[in-house]
Amino acid sequence: MSEKPTAPAASRSTGGSGPVAAGSATTGSATTGSATTGSATTGSAASETSTPQKSGRRMTGVGRVLVVVYGILALAATGRSVYQIMDHFQVAPVAFTLSAFSAVIYIVATIALIAPGRTWYRVAWTTISIELAGVLIIGTLSTFAPAAIGMAAIDPFGDDSTVWSAYGAGYLFIPLVLPVLGMLWLAKHRPVASSSSTAAEA
Amino acid sequence: MVEWFTAVQVVVALLAGLLCLVVGFVGRPPNDLTLGAIVLIELLLLAQLVVTIVAPLVGNGPTGSLGEFYIYLVSALLLPIAGAFWALIERTRWSTVVLGVVGLAIAVMLYRMGQIWFVQGTP
């Protein structure tokens, strides 16, 4: 971020005003607004490659909301796992190790969503895929076979639950929904260098 | 923790969060109203911090884990600062939505704090 302070600032101001103007012109709901900004960035990538939007920042506009929700979940997972491991690790070592693992995944995913470039884009895909797999596998195990991961009960608010227990029921099912939203976001906002090349091929 | 104060705090955080979400989805960048609502949440959290430092000393201790409680409270204290900071550097409607998400997250965290303090340790 500190390497090239002028380029992101320029892309933020111009890139920010473009989609916002498009969104307020349609005055649609939040979903149509984000759809127009999404199509605007991918659609204009071919025609307006000279605009500063090519810096590849995926997290302007509604993407920032996604990042904030990811950040809060990373905070929640970290806080919970730190407490679990420090306070009563021996109660359910497998579940708490998973808890710490999920915390790390959420932290890396949050950073990967913010950081520009193709490598981080791949990291984002990887971590978000792990999240989806984690919430489905751990959700299923914790619901139907809690003993398999060393848990005493199914209670999603219980002492030995993780962010992924019971499909994230203890976190309003946000851990279940968030990877899907993240994938949709990533699919729409691939790094501009690769999207313009695919547009040229098509 | 004092039960009525915590309840008031949850309701304030919930309303402030919903307000910011609505104002954000309407398309307004952060303004005095939405930022003020977040500042109010932060001030109430600071008051809660004072209350929960004093309360155990006068015999009103948590039934659950004080350590887990403080992890929640410190995290909650940091969120409005991060959200408001963001609202000041990027003045778009999505920053207002971010403020709303912060408000709702704090409402949930306060509810959990209440559970830890009043419910968790009681059989």
Side-chain angles (χ1 to χ4, degrees), chain B residues 1-33:
Chain B
M1 258 183 157
V2 180
E3 211 152 7
W4 67 264
F5 180 64
T6 309
V8 168
Q9 217 178 349
V10 171
V11 172
V12 168
L14 209 59
L15 291 178
L18 289 174
L19 171 82
C20 292
L21 279 186
V22 170
V23 173
F25 282 129
V26 165
R28 303 279 165 79
N31 54 22
D32 287 353
L33 175 69

PDB file of all heavy atoms in Angstrom, chain B residues 1-33:
ATOM      1  N   MET B   1     -22.110  -6.057  34.823  1.00  0.00           N
ATOM      2  CA  MET B   1     -23.116  -5.582  33.871  1.00  0.00           C
ATOM      3  C   MET B   1     -24.436  -5.291  34.578  1.00  0.00           C
ATOM      4  O   MET B   1     -24.825  -5.999  35.502  1.00  0.00           O
ATOM      5  CB  MET B   1     -23.373  -6.658  32.810  1.00  0.00           C
ATOM      6  CG  MET B   1     -22.691  -6.379  31.496  1.00  0.00           C
ATOM      7  SD  MET B   1     -23.126  -7.634  30.292  1.00  0.00           S
ATOM      8  CE  MET B   1     -22.820  -6.739  28.780  1.00  0.00           C
ATOM      9  N   VAL B   2     -25.081  -4.241  34.129  1.00  0.00           N
ATOM     10  CA  VAL B   2     -26.403  -3.915  34.645  1.00  0.00           C
ATOM     11  C   VAL B   2     -27.403  -4.270  33.552  1.00  0.00           C
ATOM     12  O   VAL B   2     -27.231  -3.879  32.393  1.00  0.00           O
ATOM     13  CB  VAL B   2     -26.490  -2.414  35.003  1.00  0.00           C
ATOM     14  CG1 VAL B   2     -27.862  -2.079  35.546  1.00  0.00           C
ATOM     15  CG2 VAL B   2     -25.403  -2.046  35.998  1.00  0.00           C
ATOM     16  N   GLU B   3     -28.428  -5.026  33.956  1.00  0.00           N
ATOM     17  CA  GLU B   3     -29.296  -5.631  32.947  1.00  0.00           C
ATOM     18  C   GLU B   3     -29.995  -4.587  32.065  1.00  0.00           C
ATOM     19  O   GLU B   3     -29.967  -4.683  30.845  1.00  0.00           O
ATOM     20  CB  GLU B   3     -30.340  -6.530  33.630  1.00  0.00           C
ATOM     21  CG  GLU B   3     -30.751  -7.694  32.764  1.00  0.00           C
ATOM     22  CD  GLU B   3     -31.186  -8.903  33.594  1.00  0.00           C
ATOM     23  OE1 GLU B   3     -31.283  -8.771  34.837  1.00  0.00           O
ATOM     24  OE2 GLU B   3     -31.428  -9.962  33.003  1.00  0.00           O
ATOM     25  N   TRP B   4     -30.608  -3.582  32.694  1.00  0.00           N
ATOM     26  CA  TRP B   4     -31.365  -2.615  31.887  1.00  0.00           C
ATOM     27  C   TRP B   4     -30.444  -1.806  30.985  1.00  0.00           C
ATOM     28  O   TRP B   4     -30.769  -1.515  29.833  1.00  0.00           O
ATOM     29  CB  TRP B   4     -32.223  -1.695  32.769  1.00  0.00           C
ATOM     30  CG  TRP B   4     -31.460  -0.747  33.659  1.00  0.00           C
ATOM     31  CD1 TRP B   4     -31.141  -0.928  34.967  1.00  0.00           C
ATOM     32  CD2 TRP B   4     -30.913   0.534  33.296  1.00  0.00           C
ATOM     33  NE1 TRP B   4     -30.427   0.139  35.430  1.00  0.00           N
ATOM     34  CE2 TRP B   4     -30.273   1.062  34.451  1.00  0.00           C
ATOM     35  CE3 TRP B   4     -30.911   1.295  32.126  1.00  0.00           C
ATOM     36  CZ2 TRP B   4     -29.629   2.303  34.448  1.00  0.00           C
ATOM     37  CZ3 TRP B   4     -30.254   2.536  32.129  1.00  0.00           C
ATOM     38  CH2 TRP B   4     -29.629   3.024  33.275  1.00  0.00           C
ATOM     39  N   PHE B   5     -29.251  -1.465  31.511  1.00  0.00           N
ATOM     40  CA  PHE B   5     -28.317  -0.673  30.700  1.00  0.00           C
ATOM     41  C   PHE B   5     -27.865  -1.465  29.480  1.00  0.00           C
ATOM     42  O   PHE B   5     -27.779  -0.938  28.366  1.00  0.00           O
ATOM     43  CB  PHE B   5     -27.106  -0.256  31.546  1.00  0.00           C
ATOM     44  CG  PHE B   5     -26.089   0.549  30.799  1.00  0.00           C
ATOM     45  CD1 PHE B   5     -26.412   1.806  30.306  1.00  0.00           C
ATOM     46  CD2 PHE B   5     -24.825   0.054  30.555  1.00  0.00           C
ATOM     47  CE1 PHE B   5     -25.484   2.566  29.603  1.00  0.00           C
ATOM     48  CE2 PHE B   5     -23.882   0.798  29.846  1.00  0.00           C
ATOM     49  CZ  PHE B   5     -24.229   2.056  29.368  1.00  0.00           C
ATOM     50  N   THR B   6     -27.603  -2.758  29.687  1.00  0.00           N
ATOM     51  CA  THR B   6     -27.200  -3.612  28.573  1.00  0.00           C
ATOM     52  C   THR B   6     -28.322  -3.712  27.538  1.00  0.00           C
ATOM     53  O   THR B   6     -28.072  -3.647  26.334  1.00  0.00           O
ATOM     54  CB  THR B   6     -26.830  -5.012  29.100  1.00  0.00           C
ATOM     55  OG1 THR B   6     -25.909  -4.866  30.174  1.00  0.00           O
ATOM     56  CG2 THR B   6     -26.197  -5.844  28.015  1.00  0.00           C
ATOM     57  N   ALA B   7     -29.555  -3.850  28.031  1.00  0.00           N
ATOM     58  CA  ALA B   7     -30.698  -3.949  27.113  1.00  0.00           C
ATOM     59  C   ALA B   7     -30.828  -2.675  26.282  1.00  0.00           C
ATOM     60  O   ALA B   7     -31.015  -2.731  25.055  1.00  0.00           O
ATOM     61  CB  ALA B   7     -31.980  -4.200  27.914  1.00  0.00           C
ATOM     62  N   VAL B   8     -30.706  -1.519  26.951  1.00  0.00           N
ATOM     63  CA  VAL B   8     -30.777  -0.237  26.237  1.00  0.00           C
ATOM     64  C   VAL B   8     -29.684  -0.173  25.171  1.00  0.00           C
ATOM     65  O   VAL B   8     -29.912   0.237  24.027  1.00  0.00           O
ATOM     66  CB  VAL B   8     -30.626   0.948  27.233  1.00  0.00           C
ATOM     67  CG1 VAL B   8     -30.390   2.263  26.493  1.00  0.00           C
ATOM     68  CG2 VAL B   8     -31.858   1.057  28.114  1.00  0.00           C
ATOM     69  N   GLN B   9     -28.506  -0.634  25.560  1.00  0.00           N
ATOM     70  CA  GLN B   9     -27.359  -0.584  24.655  1.00  0.00           C
ATOM     71  C   GLN B   9     -27.581  -1.449  23.417  1.00  0.00           C
ATOM     72  O   GLN B   9     -27.247  -1.043  22.299  1.00  0.00           O
ATOM     73  CB  GLN B   9     -26.132  -1.074  25.424  1.00  0.00           C
ATOM     74  CG  GLN B   9     -24.884  -0.340  25.070  1.00  0.00           C
ATOM     75  CD  GLN B   9     -23.704  -0.821  25.870  1.00  0.00           C
ATOM     76  OE1 GLN B   9     -23.848  -1.564  26.840  1.00  0.00           O
ATOM     77  NE2 GLN B   9     -22.530  -0.419  25.463  1.00  0.00           N
ATOM     78  N   VAL B  10     -28.132  -2.656  23.614  1.00  0.00           N
ATOM     79  CA  VAL B  10     -28.404  -3.542  22.473  1.00  0.00           C
ATOM     80  C   VAL B  10     -29.389  -2.869  21.523  1.00  0.00           C
ATOM     81  O   VAL B  10     -29.187  -2.855  20.298  1.00  0.00           O
ATOM     82  CB  VAL B  10     -28.956  -4.903  22.957  1.00  0.00           C
ATOM     83  CG1 VAL B  10     -29.449  -5.726  21.779  1.00  0.00           C
ATOM     84  CG2 VAL B  10     -27.895  -5.675  23.725  1.00  0.00           C
ATOM     85  N   VAL B  11     -30.458  -2.269  22.114  1.00  0.00           N
ATOM     86  CA  VAL B  11     -31.478  -1.626  21.272  1.00  0.00           C
ATOM     87  C   VAL B  11     -30.882  -0.446  20.515  1.00  0.00           C
ATOM     88  O   VAL B  11     -31.120  -0.283  19.301  1.00  0.00           O
ATOM     89  CB  VAL B  11     -32.683  -1.175  22.145  1.00  0.00           C
ATOM     90  CG1 VAL B  11     -33.648  -0.344  21.331  1.00  0.00           C
ATOM     91  CG2 VAL B  11     -33.381  -2.390  22.730  1.00  0.00           C
ATOM     92  N   VAL B  12     -30.061   0.371  21.201  1.00  0.00           N
ATOM     93  CA  VAL B  12     -29.446   1.533  20.547  1.00  0.00           C
ATOM     94  C   VAL B  12     -28.552   1.079  19.395  1.00  0.00           C
ATOM     95  O   VAL B  12     -28.607   1.624  18.283  1.00  0.00           O
ATOM     96  CB  VAL B  12     -28.642   2.379  21.565  1.00  0.00           C
ATOM     97  CG1 VAL B  12     -27.781   3.407  20.840  1.00  0.00           C
ATOM     98  CG2 VAL B  12     -29.582   3.081  22.533  1.00  0.00           C
ATOM     99  N   ALA B  13     -27.731   0.052  19.646  1.00  0.00           N
ATOM    100  CA  ALA B  13     -26.821  -0.434  18.607  1.00  0.00           C
ATOM    101  C   ALA B  13     -27.606  -0.985  17.414  1.00  0.00           C
ATOM    102  O   ALA B  13     -27.250  -0.776  16.255  1.00  0.00           O
ATOM    103  CB  ALA B  13     -25.891  -1.498  19.177  1.00  0.00           C
ATOM    104  N   LEU B  14     -28.708  -1.696  17.723  1.00  0.00           N
ATOM    105  CA  LEU B  14     -29.560  -2.269  16.670  1.00  0.00           C
ATOM    106  C   LEU B  14     -30.176  -1.166  15.818  1.00  0.00           C
ATOM    107  O   LEU B  14     -30.108  -1.190  14.582  1.00  0.00           O
ATOM    108  CB  LEU B  14     -30.661  -3.098  17.343  1.00  0.00           C
ATOM    109  CG  LEU B  14     -31.243  -4.285  16.587  1.00  0.00           C
ATOM    110  CD1 LEU B  14     -30.162  -5.289  16.254  1.00  0.00           C
ATOM    111  CD2 LEU B  14     -32.312  -4.952  17.456  1.00  0.00           C
ATOM    112  N   LEU B  15     -30.755  -0.150  16.490  1.00  0.00           N
ATOM    113  CA  LEU B  15     -31.398   0.947  15.763  1.00  0.00           C
ATOM    114  C   LEU B  15     -30.376   1.751  14.967  1.00  0.00           C
ATOM    115  O   LEU B  15     -30.604   2.096  13.796  1.00  0.00           O
ATOM    116  CB  LEU B  15     -32.141   1.869  16.747  1.00  0.00           C
ATOM    117  CG  LEU B  15     -33.373   1.260  17.417  1.00  0.00           C
ATOM    118  CD1 LEU B  15     -33.996   2.251  18.392  1.00  0.00           C
ATOM    119  CD2 LEU B  15     -34.409   0.837  16.380  1.00  0.00           C
ATOM    120  N   ALA B  16     -29.232   2.023  15.586  1.00  0.00           N
ATOM    121  CA  ALA B  16     -28.190   2.786  14.892  1.00  0.00           C
ATOM    122  C   ALA B  16     -27.704   2.019  13.665  1.00  0.00           C
ATOM    123  O   ALA B  16     -27.501   2.602  12.591  1.00  0.00           O
ATOM    124  CB  ALA B  16     -27.033   3.072  15.841  1.00  0.00           C
ATOM    125  N   GLY B  17     -27.538   0.693  13.825  1.00  0.00           N
ATOM    126  CA  GLY B  17     -27.100  -0.130  12.706  1.00  0.00           C
ATOM    127  C   GLY B  17     -28.102  -0.115  11.571  1.00  0.00           C
ATOM    128  O   GLY B  17     -27.743   0.074  10.398  1.00  0.00           O
ATOM    129  N   LEU B  18     -29.399  -0.288  11.917  1.00  0.00           N
ATOM    130  CA  LEU B  18     -30.442  -0.281  10.889  1.00  0.00           C
ATOM    131  C   LEU B  18     -30.518   1.077  10.204  1.00  0.00           C
ATOM    132  O   LEU B  18     -30.658   1.167   8.981  1.00  0.00           O
ATOM    133  CB  LEU B  18     -31.796  -0.646  11.509  1.00  0.00           C
ATOM    134  CG  LEU B  18     -31.948  -2.113  11.944  1.00  0.00           C
ATOM    135  CD1 LEU B  18     -33.275  -2.321  12.669  1.00  0.00           C
ATOM    136  CD2 LEU B  18     -31.863  -3.051  10.746  1.00  0.00           C
ATOM    137  N   LEU B  19     -30.418   2.143  11.010  1.00  0.00           N
ATOM    138  CA  LEU B  19     -30.448   3.507  10.457  1.00  0.00           C
ATOM    139  C   LEU B  19     -29.347   3.684   9.414  1.00  0.00           C
ATOM    140  O   LEU B  19     -29.599   4.159   8.295  1.00  0.00           O
ATOM    141  CB  LEU B  19     -30.280   4.526  11.586  1.00  0.00           C
ATOM    142  CG  LEU B  19     -30.078   5.982  11.143  1.00  0.00           C
ATOM    143  CD1 LEU B  19     -31.423   6.624  10.838  1.00  0.00           C
ATOM    144  CD2 LEU B  19     -29.336   6.795  12.188  1.00  0.00           C
ATOM    145  N   CYS B  20     -28.129   3.267   9.777  1.00  0.00           N
ATOM    146  CA  CYS B  20     -27.003   3.438   8.858  1.00  0.00           C
ATOM    147  C   CYS B  20     -27.197   2.589   7.603  1.00  0.00           C
ATOM    148  O   CYS B  20     -26.880   3.032   6.487  1.00  0.00           O
ATOM    149  CB  CYS B  20     -25.691   3.072   9.543  1.00  0.00           C
ATOM    150  SG  CYS B  20     -25.215   4.200  10.856  1.00  0.00           S
ATOM    151  N   LEU B  21     -27.730   1.383   7.757  1.00  0.00           N
ATOM    152  CA  LEU B  21     -27.979   0.534   6.589  1.00  0.00           C
ATOM    153  C   LEU B  21     -28.969   1.204   5.639  1.00  0.00           C
ATOM    154  O   LEU B  21     -28.746   1.269   4.431  1.00  0.00           O
ATOM    155  CB  LEU B  21     -28.536  -0.829   7.024  1.00  0.00           C
ATOM    156  CG  LEU B  21     -27.537  -1.878   7.520  1.00  0.00           C
ATOM    157  CD1 LEU B  21     -28.255  -3.194   7.751  1.00  0.00           C
ATOM    158  CD2 LEU B  21     -26.409  -2.077   6.519  1.00  0.00           C
ATOM    159  N   VAL B  22     -30.072   1.723   6.216  1.00  0.00           N
ATOM    160  CA  VAL B  22     -31.095   2.368   5.384  1.00  0.00           C
ATOM    161  C   VAL B  22     -30.516   3.590   4.678  1.00  0.00           C
ATOM    162  O   VAL B  22     -30.634   3.743   3.458  1.00  0.00           O
ATOM    163  CB  VAL B  22     -32.328   2.757   6.246  1.00  0.00           C
ATOM    164  CG1 VAL B  22     -33.277   3.638   5.458  1.00  0.00           C
ATOM    165  CG2 VAL B  22     -33.039   1.507   6.731  1.00  0.00           C
ATOM    166  N   VAL B  23     -29.861   4.455   5.466  1.00  0.00           N
ATOM    167  CA  VAL B  23     -29.286   5.677   4.881  1.00  0.00           C
ATOM    168  C   VAL B  23     -28.251   5.308   3.818  1.00  0.00           C
ATOM    169  O   VAL B  23     -28.155   5.947   2.771  1.00  0.00           O
ATOM    170  CB  VAL B  23     -28.648   6.548   5.991  1.00  0.00           C
ATOM    171  CG1 VAL B  23     -27.892   7.726   5.390  1.00  0.00           C
ATOM    172  CG2 VAL B  23     -29.717   7.064   6.944  1.00  0.00           C
ATOM    173  N   GLY B  24     -27.491   4.244   4.068  1.00  0.00           N
ATOM    174  CA  GLY B  24     -26.480   3.814   3.108  1.00  0.00           C
ATOM    175  C   GLY B  24     -27.098   3.290   1.825  1.00  0.00           C
ATOM    176  O   GLY B  24     -26.671   3.662   0.727  1.00  0.00           O
ATOM    177  N   PHE B  25     -28.138   2.451   1.949  1.00  0.00           N
ATOM    178  CA  PHE B  25     -28.754   1.877   0.748  1.00  0.00           C
ATOM    179  C   PHE B  25     -29.533   2.930  -0.037  1.00  0.00           C
ATOM    180  O   PHE B  25     -29.733   2.789  -1.246  1.00  0.00           O
ATOM    181  CB  PHE B  25     -29.663   0.701   1.114  1.00  0.00           C
ATOM    182  CG  PHE B  25     -28.884  -0.558   1.405  1.00  0.00           C
ATOM    183  CD1 PHE B  25     -29.112  -1.284   2.563  1.00  0.00           C
ATOM    184  CD2 PHE B  25     -27.915  -1.004   0.532  1.00  0.00           C
ATOM    185  CE1 PHE B  25     -28.386  -2.431   2.837  1.00  0.00           C
ATOM    186  CE2 PHE B  25     -27.185  -2.152   0.782  1.00  0.00           C
ATOM    187  CZ  PHE B  25     -27.424  -2.867   1.942  1.00  0.00           C
ATOM    188  N   VAL B  26     -29.981   3.997   0.645  1.00  0.00           N
ATOM    189  CA  VAL B  26     -30.616   5.100  -0.077  1.00  0.00           C
ATOM    190  C   VAL B  26     -29.589   5.823  -0.942  1.00  0.00           C
ATOM    191  O   VAL B  26     -29.914   6.396  -1.981  1.00  0.00           O
ATOM    192  CB  VAL B  26     -31.292   6.071   0.929  1.00  0.00           C
ATOM    193  CG1 VAL B  26     -31.643   7.388   0.276  1.00  0.00           C
ATOM    194  CG2 VAL B  26     -32.538   5.437   1.508  1.00  0.00           C
ATOM    195  N   GLY B  27     -28.315   5.770  -0.509  1.00  0.00           N
ATOM    196  CA  GLY B  27     -27.260   6.309  -1.365  1.00  0.00           C
ATOM    197  C   GLY B  27     -26.488   7.472  -0.780  1.00  0.00           C
ATOM    198  O   GLY B  27     -25.752   8.138  -1.490  1.00  0.00           O
ATOM    199  N   ARG B  28     -26.665   7.705   0.530  1.00  0.00           N
ATOM    200  CA  ARG B  28     -25.968   8.841   1.139  1.00  0.00           C
ATOM    201  C   ARG B  28     -24.598   8.423   1.660  1.00  0.00           C
ATOM    202  O   ARG B  28     -24.466   7.360   2.255  1.00  0.00           O
ATOM    203  CB  ARG B  28     -26.788   9.378   2.323  1.00  0.00           C
ATOM    204  CG  ARG B  28     -28.188   9.786   1.962  1.00  0.00           C
ATOM    205  CD  ARG B  28     -28.221  11.182   1.342  1.00  0.00           C
ATOM    206  NE  ARG B  28     -29.494  11.426   0.679  1.00  0.00           N
ATOM    207  CZ  ARG B  28     -30.614  11.760   1.325  1.00  0.00           C
ATOM    208  NH1 ARG B  28     -30.600  11.875   2.628  1.00  0.00           N
ATOM    209  NH2 ARG B  28     -31.728  11.964   0.662  1.00  0.00           N
ATOM    210  N   PRO B  29     -23.596   9.271   1.465  1.00  0.00           N
ATOM    211  CA  PRO B  29     -22.318   9.032   2.148  1.00  0.00           C
ATOM    212  C   PRO B  29     -22.476   9.295   3.643  1.00  0.00           C
ATOM    213  O   PRO B  29     -23.488   9.877   4.058  1.00  0.00           O
ATOM    214  CB  PRO B  29     -21.384  10.055   1.493  1.00  0.00           C
ATOM    215  CG  PRO B  29     -22.263  11.113   0.960  1.00  0.00           C
ATOM    216  CD  PRO B  29     -23.573  10.458   0.616  1.00  0.00           C
ATOM    217  N   PRO B  30     -21.502   8.867   4.446  1.00  0.00           N
ATOM    218  CA  PRO B  30     -21.601   9.086   5.895  1.00  0.00           C
ATOM    219  C   PRO B  30     -21.803  10.567   6.205  1.00  0.00           C
ATOM    220  O   PRO B  30     -21.134  11.423   5.631  1.00  0.00           O
ATOM    221  CB  PRO B  30     -20.254   8.595   6.426  1.00  0.00           C
ATOM    222  CG  PRO B  30     -19.754   7.661   5.405  1.00  0.00           C
ATOM    223  CD  PRO B  30     -20.269   8.162   4.091  1.00  0.00           C
ATOM    224  N   ASN B  31     -22.743  10.872   7.105  1.00  0.00           N
ATOM    225  CA  ASN B  31     -22.986  12.265   7.491  1.00  0.00           C
ATOM    226  C   ASN B  31     -22.999  12.372   9.010  1.00  0.00           C
ATOM    227  O   ASN B  31     -22.682  11.407   9.705  1.00  0.00           O
ATOM    228  CB  ASN B  31     -24.308  12.757   6.880  1.00  0.00           C
ATOM    229  CG  ASN B  31     -25.470  11.837   7.225  1.00  0.00           C
ATOM    230  OD1 ASN B  31     -25.421  11.098   8.203  1.00  0.00           O
ATOM    231  ND2 ASN B  31     -26.514  11.876   6.408  1.00  0.00           N
ATOM    232  N   ASP B  32     -23.351  13.546   9.517  1.00  0.00           N
ATOM    233  CA  ASP B  32     -23.324  13.760  10.965  1.00  0.00           C
ATOM    234  C   ASP B  32     -24.262  12.806  11.695  1.00  0.00           C
ATOM    235  O   ASP B  32     -23.957  12.323  12.785  1.00  0.00           O
ATOM    236  CB  ASP B  32     -23.722  15.214  11.286  1.00  0.00           C
ATOM    237  CG  ASP B  32     -22.611  16.192  10.917  1.00  0.00           C
ATOM    238  OD1 ASP B  32     -21.528  15.709  10.548  1.00  0.00           O
ATOM    239  OD2 ASP B  32     -22.835  17.406  10.991  1.00  0.00           O
ATOM    240  N   LEU B  33     -25.413  12.512  11.081  1.00  0.00           N
ATOM    241  CA  LEU B  33     -26.396  11.645  11.726  1.00  0.00           C
ATOM    242  C   LEU B  33     -25.837  10.234  11.899  1.00  0.00           C
ATOM    243  O   LEU B  33     -25.842   9.675  13.002  1.00  0.00           O
ATOM    244  CB  LEU B  33     -27.681  11.613  10.884  1.00  0.00           C
ATOM    245  CG  LEU B  33     -28.760  10.648  11.365  1.00  0.00           C
ATOM    246  CD1 LEU B  33     -29.365  11.121  12.680  1.00  0.00           C
ATOM    247  CD2 LEU B  33     -29.858  10.483  10.314  1.00  0.00           C
TER     248      LEU B  33
END
